[in-house]
Amino acid sequence: MKDDVTRDERVANLKGMGCSRKRVEDARFTQGKGNYVDDIKLDGMLFGDFVRSPYAHARIKNIDASAAMEVPGVLAVLTAADLEPLGLHWMPTLAGDKQMVLADGKVLFQGQEVAFVVAEDRYAAADGIEAVVVEYEELPVIVDPFEALKTDVVLREDTVQDGKPVDGAHGPRKHHNHIFTWEAGDKDPTEEVIANADVVAEETMYYHRTHPCPLETCGCVASMDKVNGKLTLWGTFQAPHAIRTVVSLISGIEEHNIRVISPDIGGGFGNKVGAYPGYVCSVVASIVTAKPVKWIEDRMDNLMTTAFARDYWMKGRISATKEGKITGLHCHVTADHGGFDACADPTKFPAGFMNICTGSYDIPTAFLEVDGVYTNKAPGGVSYRCSFRVTEAVYFIERMIEVLAIELNMDAAELRRINFIKKEQFPYTAALGWEYDSGDYHTAWDKALKTVDYEGLRAEQARRVEDFKAGKTRKLMGIGLSFFTEIVGAGPVKNCDILGLGMFDSCEIRIHPTGSAIARLGTISQGQGHATTFAQILASEIGLPADSITIEEGDTDTAPYGLGTYGSRSTPVAGAATAMAGRKIRAKAQMIAAYLLEVHDDDVEFDVDRFVVKGAPEKFKTMKDIAFAAYNQAIPGIEPGLEAVSYYDPPNMTYPFGAYVCVMDIDVDTGVPDIRRFYALDDCGTRINPMIIEGQVHGGLTEALAVALGQEIAYDDMGNVKTGTLMDFFLPTAWEVPNYETDYTVTPSPHHPIGAKGVGESPHVGGVPCFSNAVQDAFRAFGNRHTNMPHDHWRIWRTANALGLHD
Amino acid sequence: MIPAAFEYYRPKDLAGVLSILEEHGDDARVMAGGHSLIPMMKLRMAEVPHLIDLQDVDGLHGIDISNGQIRLGAMVTQAEIIDHEGLAAVAPILREAALQIADPQVRYMGTIGGNVANGDPGNDMPGLMQCVNATFHLIGPEGERSVPARAFYEAAYMTAREDEEVLTAVTLPVPDGGYAYEKQKRKIGDYATAAAAVQIVKEDGVCKAASIAMTNLSDTPVFSEDACAALLGTALDDAAVKAAVTAMLGDIDPSEDNRGPVAFKKHVAGVILRRAIERAWSRA
């Protein structure tokens, strides 16, 4: 290294943490050179697709596949009867329930998988599907979870024995269509606090059913090699290792004979965490035919059948002193899970982390109760761009705060401020059990309100109300506030597992002799830019340039075991493993450097990209020198090579937070909202790549806008999906998206090796209530308290109409 | 989303098109941009064993403006309408409306002929063509004939065009006066919640002529003669506009869908028409 390279230049050359390094993935993605599941084409590959139920609830009297077998190119039609001898007609869900792979005597939702047609190509499969004749006997359809808990209609026959409900995976059932009750906090003390409070605000809100809708739908290619007994399964898996274990457990194929590969994934957002019938059927079809079998959903299949998100009826009571200090919170949720409980949550958390619903506030007493219910809707309940049920929790508390502010006749920003957990209270144990690792809410809030000139906005809003009343304008102005605390990075093995698999994660690093490296992780990017950011963590930890480090994920034959990417867990867990593995590399490098420099180990210290002799900076060995030495010199007492692996079990979750403000003008006559400004301050702890963070914030906010303003999976009374195409399912384009202003504070996680907290989901979690609060705030002056999302044009119009704002 | 197998034809002239239609009858359909037909085929809601692609057919392309008449070949795309400077100069309402149809990718393929011939109440061009009093030109085994846009639509997907006929061109007189195409939609790519096409001629501060048509508020486009009449001879004072809106509301018959219930659609239709009238008047 020449002397004319300054230390700052050496730091810059690494492109380590804090650098807005351009995404290394984008060269292929922007040129259409990605390699997605549907790009995989193997010799002799077949195509499988489903006959799906047109009915939401029906008994299957007969399936006649004879005509389908006559269709040219059709090779097989699998039904539950074919899978039953293998014990594969049902499969376990991640939530402790089980789910039909193919309809076993009845169907429970529209679009349910009834038969699997295997053909030489997807066109023949489609013709085959048309030719399968299924005789259905329609049954009463239950789409309302409250009705489900009253009706005699039994949706799931396995929930009843001798006329009585049998226990479910999470305890006794209250009714045959009831799945579980889950509680957190203290029931009686909460009731007592609320009963004796100065002020109580009560509200019921429905967080509608929506869908993650990744651009790439779900799919897989299964290839069973009967010669060597190995099954290779490519798929859109957010958790490839967990899928390998699940496939082994349900198929009986030994795990070493299964190789699961997640290639490039076109967005996941929780939709690609669980296991779907298509995976099982493809594997079985490949075993039966001895050929590779591909299954790819189309858009309607994806929207109608693979995992939805939310569908939570939340009833809240919040109590406070007359000065506005919150004293208690009570929340009851009726959770509509559809026909099977296929939520993707850690095993002990059937309602996810809904018990983060005390939010960012110091609420001394609280109680949460969640009842899960079966209905004739598609299964799911995944965390769409959020940690487990955290969007629901944050929406709930951020709406309750607004409702309480109305009850107290107080400014909602001030109400938040006086109830925030204070900086000096961290680590803070919340009433519902979580230990928040760190936070500085007041600083973030003050910065946000100052930046947007909150006082000025309120003054403008007041003038607007006057003008509206005077007939000078037909547009109202809404100021949406939200302050959120996420809980991400699941999670500590002591309380987080999925199907018994602890939710640690991993990184394995190999340094090559010439000073470049490959690192493999147990996670899998779906667009988050892992290949970029994890290399930056390593660059800072081991002193080799990020550009010289390859990051590889998604192949279970090569990557170390990990639980995958969802719930913003990659940076908190695998990112920590990466740093820890890097530190093992550095520890060995230190010994090698000391040997090369002929000093004691303790006499060298790490400096950016090298070890230097303490007090003699001209004496050093770069990491590149050290890497070469590791492979070409016999060093006494040190093994050759430079590799490390780390499995990281996080001591706690991380708790990113943020302060958002949305300013919206609403056309009272047409219900059309116009977002004038959106300010998002995120504190995700240590910032690895500011550019990627900004991109994540933009994406999360856009999905938040979608959910708040129109995106829903709606059913009619017969259980028909009304929003099964992108005509009716709102996926925003550049046209609908406003400009976003991003900002940040930095409060590092005290327990994470590099202080990072995760950011991919924060903007969604904080964004949904912010957009919704803006709509609701616009009508506050006219008596609005709460209206349910989605706030599409006609529902906003309905709010205005109900308040008498139309002639 | 895979259509049933079909034969694909790409004839070079109208005689070729007509002979295939004659040979296969109901089993054959012509396709212009394909934006309505192909999705229906993929959903297997339309079965078309013989699909005739019109894009190579001679004489269906091109925009001509002469002697106060505009002729749009059936295969003229929305993008061509938007890009044509001469057309924008004489009939700016066409560009204003075309820009509100879906997105650029759709507009590069979607055609005026397909848009008006399909009879989909959600399409924007039928109402617009009624507003500008266009004429649709058809050719069939019996020869050529023409039908006014205002007499073309019978019900959803039902028009005056016979199965064996092909729509070859749209002609219209160069519109007079101020114009507006006002559309409310949920998002890019959506059909209108409500849309209004308005042309108004102003002379000495008085409405000399008015033409008003509404989109996606009945099972056909709605040309509202009564709404037009309400404006005639007035200075478009509030009472006249109100009367026009009331008249229009008497002519539409919206149905509930994911865009909202009937009451909302009627309310929005009134708001949209009022805005369209005001904008057209300001340009008149």
Side-chain angles (χ1 to χ4, degrees):
Chain A
M1 194 75 57
K2 288 179 205 152
D3 287 346
D4 58 355
V5 177
T6 66
R7 190 172 188 279
D8 285 350
E9 284 168 337
R10 288 194 281 124
V11 171
N13 287 341
L14 291 183
K15 298 187 187 172
M17 288 197 286
C19 168
S20 284
R21 181 184 183 219
K22 285 193 176 163
R23 286 164 41 110
V24 298
E25 297 91 341
D26 289 349
R28 68 178 191 279
F29 291 152
T30 55
Q31 295 179 67
K33 304 283 188 194
N35 183 39
Y36 298 90
V37 172
D38 206 17
D39 293 322
I40 292 166
K41 293 176 177 71
L42 304 175
D43 282 348
M45 188 174 75
L46 306 176
F47 194 90
D49 203 357
F50 288 107
V51 175
R52 295 181 180 277
S53 172
Y55 300 107
H57 195 198
R59 204 162 295 289
I60 293 182
K61 297 175 73 178
N62 189 44
I63 301 174
D64 180 359
S66 54
M69 291 301 292
E70 299 299 314
V71 171
V74 172
L75 301 176
V77 178
L78 300 177
T79 65
D82 302 307
L83 299 182
E84 190 169 0
L86 307 167
L88 292 176
H89 55 320
W90 289 70
M91 64 178 182
T93 71
L94 298 181
D97 195 3
K98 56 178 189 168
Q99 174 176 355
M100 290 180 214
V101 173
L102 291 170
D104 182 20
K106 72 186 290 193
V107 288
L108 289 164
F109 63 93
Q110 187 182 51
Q112 187 178 332
E113 301 83 358
V114 173
F116 191 65
V117 176
V118 185
E120 284 169 0
D121 57 48
R122 66 180 74 197
Y123 307 100
D127 289 342
I129 288 166
E130 283 289 297
V132 175
V133 180
V134 185
E135 265 184 78
Y136 297 93
E137 176 191 328
E138 288 184 68
L139 296 170
V141 174
I142 311 291
V143 289
D144 174 1
F146 299 99
E147 190 194 337
L149 290 176
K150 289 184 216 145
T151 180
D152 292 337
V153 175
V154 175
L155 299 183
R156 288 277 299 271
E157 269 121 32
D158 55 333
T159 60
V160 183
Q161 208 168 30
D162 305 326
K164 286 196 177 139
V166 297
D167 284 2
H170 304 283
R173 295 180 203 275
K174 293 173 180 168
H175 179 274
H176 50 257
N177 296 326
H178 177 256
I179 308 170
F180 63 83
T181 298
W182 186 67
E183 293 180 355
D186 301 315
K187 187 174 187 176
D188 293 340
T190 303
E191 291 292 357
E192 199 180 316
V193 163
I194 291 174
N196 297 316
D198 294 349
V199 179
V200 179
E202 196 169 336
E203 195 54 70
T204 299
M205 58 195 85
Y206 177 49
Y207 200 138
H208 60 288
R209 178 177 280 234
T210 182
H211 195 280
C213 193
L215 288 186
E216 178 204 29
T217 60
C218 299
C220 70
V221 176
S223 180
M224 184 75 201
D225 184 334
K226 289 206 170 175
V227 176
N228 63 18
K230 285 203 183 264
L231 170 70
T232 306
L233 183 62
W234 292 263
T236 49
F237 309 130
Q238 288 183 238
H241 293 276
I243 289 284
R244 184 185 72 191
T245 301
V246 170
V247 170
S248 177
L249 290 173
I250 68 177
S251 70
I253 302 170
E254 278 199 85
E255 206 165 348
H256 73 104
N257 277 333
I258 302 170
R259 180 181 182 189
V260 173
I261 301 172
S262 294
D264 283 331
I265 296 181
F269 314 114
N271 183 238
K272 295 169 178 170
V273 174
Y276 293 121
Y279 306 159
V280 178
C281 290
S282 301
V283 169
V284 171
S286 180
I287 293 171
V288 170
T289 61
K291 288 185 172 177
V293 176
K294 178 186 278 186
W295 165 72
I296 301 284
E297 290 179 314
D298 67 25
R299 180 61 58 196
M300 292 178 73
D301 295 342
N302 181 254
L303 287 174
M304 290 172 66
T305 68
T306 42
F308 76 92
R310 291 120 207 198
D311 214 339
Y312 257 33
W313 291 87
M314 304 185 285
K315 193 167 192 283
R317 281 178 288 151
I318 189 165
S319 63
T321 65
K322 51 185 183 303
E323 294 78 28
K325 186 80 191 76
I326 300 170
T327 55
L329 179 72
H330 188 287
C331 177
H332 180 271
V333 179
T334 302
D336 186 339
H337 287 241
F340 307 98
D341 186 6
C343 282
D345 291 316
T347 305
K348 297 187 193 78
F349 297 91
F353 302 156
M354 184 64 197
N355 57 337
I356 196 78
C357 69
T358 52
S360 313
Y361 310 104
D362 183 14
I363 301 178
T365 317
F367 179 68
L368 164 72
E369 184 180 41
V370 182
D371 282 303
V373 183
Y374 290 125
T375 59
N376 289 123
K377 297 184 191 171
V382 295
S383 311
Y384 166 13
R385 203 160 186 150
C386 65
S387 196
F388 312 98
R389 297 288 186 185
V390 176
T391 40
E392 289 89 322
V394 170
Y395 184 73
F396 171 77
I397 186 64
E398 289 303 287
R399 284 302 305 144
M400 290 309 294
I401 289 283
E402 294 282 323
V403 171
L404 180 61
I406 291 169
E407 198 74 40
L408 288 161
N409 194 26
M410 228 177 127
D411 178 82
E414 183 58 18
L415 179 60
R416 285 178 173 85
R417 190 199 314 275
I418 63 177
N419 284 289
F420 281 143
I421 301 162
K422 296 184 186 70
K423 187 180 176 184
E424 57 272 20
Q425 287 177 280
F426 292 95
Y428 170 86
T429 302
L432 295 176
W434 295 110
E435 187 190 285
Y436 294 35
D437 65 348
S438 58
D440 183 357
Y441 300 165
H442 287 93
T443 299
W445 196 230
D446 291 345
K447 187 176 185 187
L449 297 185
K450 187 160 180 278
T451 307
V452 301
D453 182 22
Y454 181 68
E455 300 292 323
L457 287 173
R458 284 293 178 204
E460 184 190 350
Q461 184 186 39
R463 287 194 300 274
R464 185 75 73 84
V465 168
E466 290 313 310
D467 286 350
F468 184 88
K469 287 177 175 167
K472 291 182 197 162
T473 178
R474 294 296 292 163
K475 286 191 177 176
L476 291 175
M477 176 179 161
I479 303 167
L481 303 175
S482 89
F483 195 100
F484 66 92
T485 298
E486 259 251 83
I487 169 170
V488 305
V493 173
K494 63 178 186 267
N495 53 13
C496 289
D497 72 272
I498 285 183
L499 293 177
L501 304 167
M503 295 179 73
F504 59 83
D505 226 289
S506 58
C507 175
E508 180 197 275
I509 304 167
R510 296 181 186 181
I511 310 293
H512 305 317
T514 51
S516 66
I518 184 166
R520 297 186 171 98
L521 293 87
T523 45
I524 176 71
S525 182
Q526 304 127 39
Q528 293 90 339
H530 289 180
T532 307
T533 46
F534 287 134
Q536 291 182 251
I537 295 176
L538 268 185
S540 293
E541 290 290 344
I542 66 176
L544 292 173
D547 289 345
S548 299
I549 301 169
T550 294
I551 299 291
E552 198 179 272
E553 304 172 297
D555 183 341
T556 59
D557 264 11
T558 56
Y561 205 98
L563 268 279
T565 294
Y566 42 85
S568 286
R569 66 185 299 281
S570 298
T571 295
V573 192
T578 302
M580 298 308 271
R583 288 171 195 183
K584 290 182 185 177
I585 295 281
R586 210 163 73 191
K588 183 168 176 180
Q590 181 167 2
M591 292 193 280
I592 296 169
Y595 172 80
L596 296 174
L597 291 163
E598 299 178 355
V599 295
H600 189 268
D601 290 357
D602 293 339
D603 292 334
V604 294
E605 62 187 358
F606 186 68
D607 180 48
V608 183
D609 58 354
R610 62 188 59 178
F611 277 95
V612 299
V613 175
K614 287 180 184 168
E618 73 285 359
K619 290 184 181 172
F620 64 85
K621 289 289 172 189
T622 65
M623 284 301 292
K624 215 173 151 128
D625 300 333
I626 294 164
F628 198 65
Y631 289 91
N632 81 341
Q633 290 200 15
I635 302 173
I638 299 179
E639 286 181 7
L642 194 51
E643 299 187 3
V645 58
S646 171
Y647 282 78
Y648 188 81
D649 178 11
N652 191 3
M653 309 285 184
T654 60
Y655 297 78
F657 59 91
Y660 292 178
V661 181
C662 173
V663 185
M664 194 183 272
D665 291 314
I666 290 179
D667 184 328
V668 168
D669 294 316
T670 59
V672 176
D674 178 26
I675 297 152
R676 199 205 302 175
R677 188 169 187 191
F678 199 102
Y679 169 87
L681 180 152
D682 275 276
D683 190 321
C684 59
T686 302
R687 292 157 55 86
I688 300 165
N689 183 321
M691 184 190 69
I692 285 186
I693 290 171
E694 192 179 10
Q696 289 278 22
V697 171
H698 284 205
L701 289 176
T702 299
E703 285 182 320
L705 171 140
V707 170
L709 300 185
Q711 187 180 80
E712 64 174 326
I713 296 290
Y715 288 82
D716 68 13
D717 291 344
M718 298 301 294
N720 297 308
V721 179
K722 292 159 66 183
T723 52
T725 74
L726 296 184
M727 172 62 83
D728 286 308
F729 184 86
F730 175 37
L731 202 63
T733 66
W735 187 265
E736 290 88 6
V737 175
N739 185 50
Y740 299 123
E741 295 166 56
T742 58
D743 202 350
Y744 63 97
T745 55
V746 177
T747 309
S749 168
H751 62 78
H752 188 278
I754 59 169
K757 294 182 173 181
V759 75
E761 298 165 334
S762 293
H764 192 69
V765 167
V768 175
C770 193
F771 286 111
S772 179
N773 282 344
V775 173
Q776 319 236 21
D777 181 69
F779 295 105
R780 178 175 167 174
F782 299 89
N784 176 61
R785 210 176 135 89
H786 173 80
T787 58
N788 287 328
M789 296 187 292
H791 306 294
D792 52 5
H793 298 170
W794 85 262
R795 289 176 174 102
I796 291 177
W797 176 88
R798 182 178 60 180
T799 299
N801 197 258
L803 295 171
L805 302 184
H806 298 139
D807 297 337
Chain B
M1 293 293 277
I2 305 279
F6 57 87
E7 287 295 325
Y8 176 78
Y9 303 85
R10 198 156 166 163
K12 300 278 185 205
D13 53 34
L14 277 166
V17 175
L18 294 175
S19 76
I20 300 163
L21 281 173
E22 196 172 10
E23 185 183 348
H24 297 289
D26 283 356
D27 282 349
R29 288 275 304 265
V30 297
M31 177 182 78
H35 277 298
S36 300
L37 187 56
I38 290 176
M40 297 306 271
M41 290 170 67
K42 288 168 92 171
L43 290 165
R44 298 198 177 210
M45 291 167 83
E47 194 159 343
V48 183
H50 301 276
L51 183 70
I52 309 164
D53 189 334
L54 296 179
Q55 60 181 308
D56 284 353
V57 175
D58 232 19
L60 298 183
H61 296 264
I63 298 171
D64 299 301
I65 307 165
S66 60
N67 301 326
Q69 283 284 316
I70 298 167
R71 182 188 180 279
L72 304 166
M75 293 299 285
V76 168
T77 63
Q78 322 292 0
E80 287 171 309
I81 288 174
I82 292 165
D83 290 344
H84 197 284
E85 292 300 332
L87 187 62
V90 298
I93 194 171
L94 298 190
R95 177 186 273 181
E96 181 160 300
L99 278 168
Q100 296 180 64
I101 295 175
D103 54 64
Q105 285 180 308
V106 169
R107 299 196 290 253
Y108 281 123
M109 291 298 289
T111 64
I112 174 84
N115 195 298
V116 299
N118 195 41
D120 186 332
N123 286 352
D124 291 281
M125 286 294 172
L128 176 66
M129 290 301 131
Q130 291 192 338
C131 172
V132 296
N133 199 15
T135 301
F136 299 156
H137 300 273
L138 306 167
I139 187 166
E142 311 295 319
E144 297 183 40
R145 67 184 181 115
S146 50
V147 182
R150 292 175 189 173
F152 189 72
Y153 298 96
E154 295 163 358
Y157 305 103
M158 304 283 285
T159 67
R161 186 184 63 85
E162 301 293 340
D163 282 347
E164 63 274 19
E165 286 181 312
V166 179
L167 190 147
T168 55
V170 174
T171 57
L172 59 138
V174 168
D176 215 5
Y179 68 95
Y181 193 78
E182 183 84 21
K183 179 179 182 181
Q184 180 167 341
K185 55 187 174 182
R186 295 174 297 179
K187 55 172 185 171
I188 288 297
D190 195 16
Y191 292 123
T193 301
V198 175
Q199 286 276 161
I200 299 179
V201 180
K202 177 159 66 174
E203 257 181 44
D204 303 328
V206 171
C207 173
K208 186 80 189 309
S211 182
I212 292 171
M214 308 298 290
T215 289
N216 214 18
L217 292 160
S218 284
D219 67 347
T220 62
V222 173
F223 176 72
S224 181
E225 280 185 47
D226 291 348
C228 305
L231 298 181
L232 279 182
T234 74
L236 259 72
D237 51 275
D238 192 53
V241 176
K242 262 192 185 142
V245 167
T246 305
M248 176 277 294
L249 290 174
D251 288 341
I252 62 171
D253 182 21
S255 48
E256 177 169 344
D257 59 20
N258 288 332
R259 292 174 192 84
V262 171
F264 165 70
K265 289 191 172 184
K266 285 189 167 174
H267 189 110
V268 170
V271 174
I272 292 296
L273 177 56
R274 174 177 281 274
R275 289 178 186 173
I277 289 171
E278 285 167 359
R279 198 160 78 236
W281 184 247
S282 74
R283 288 163 164 172

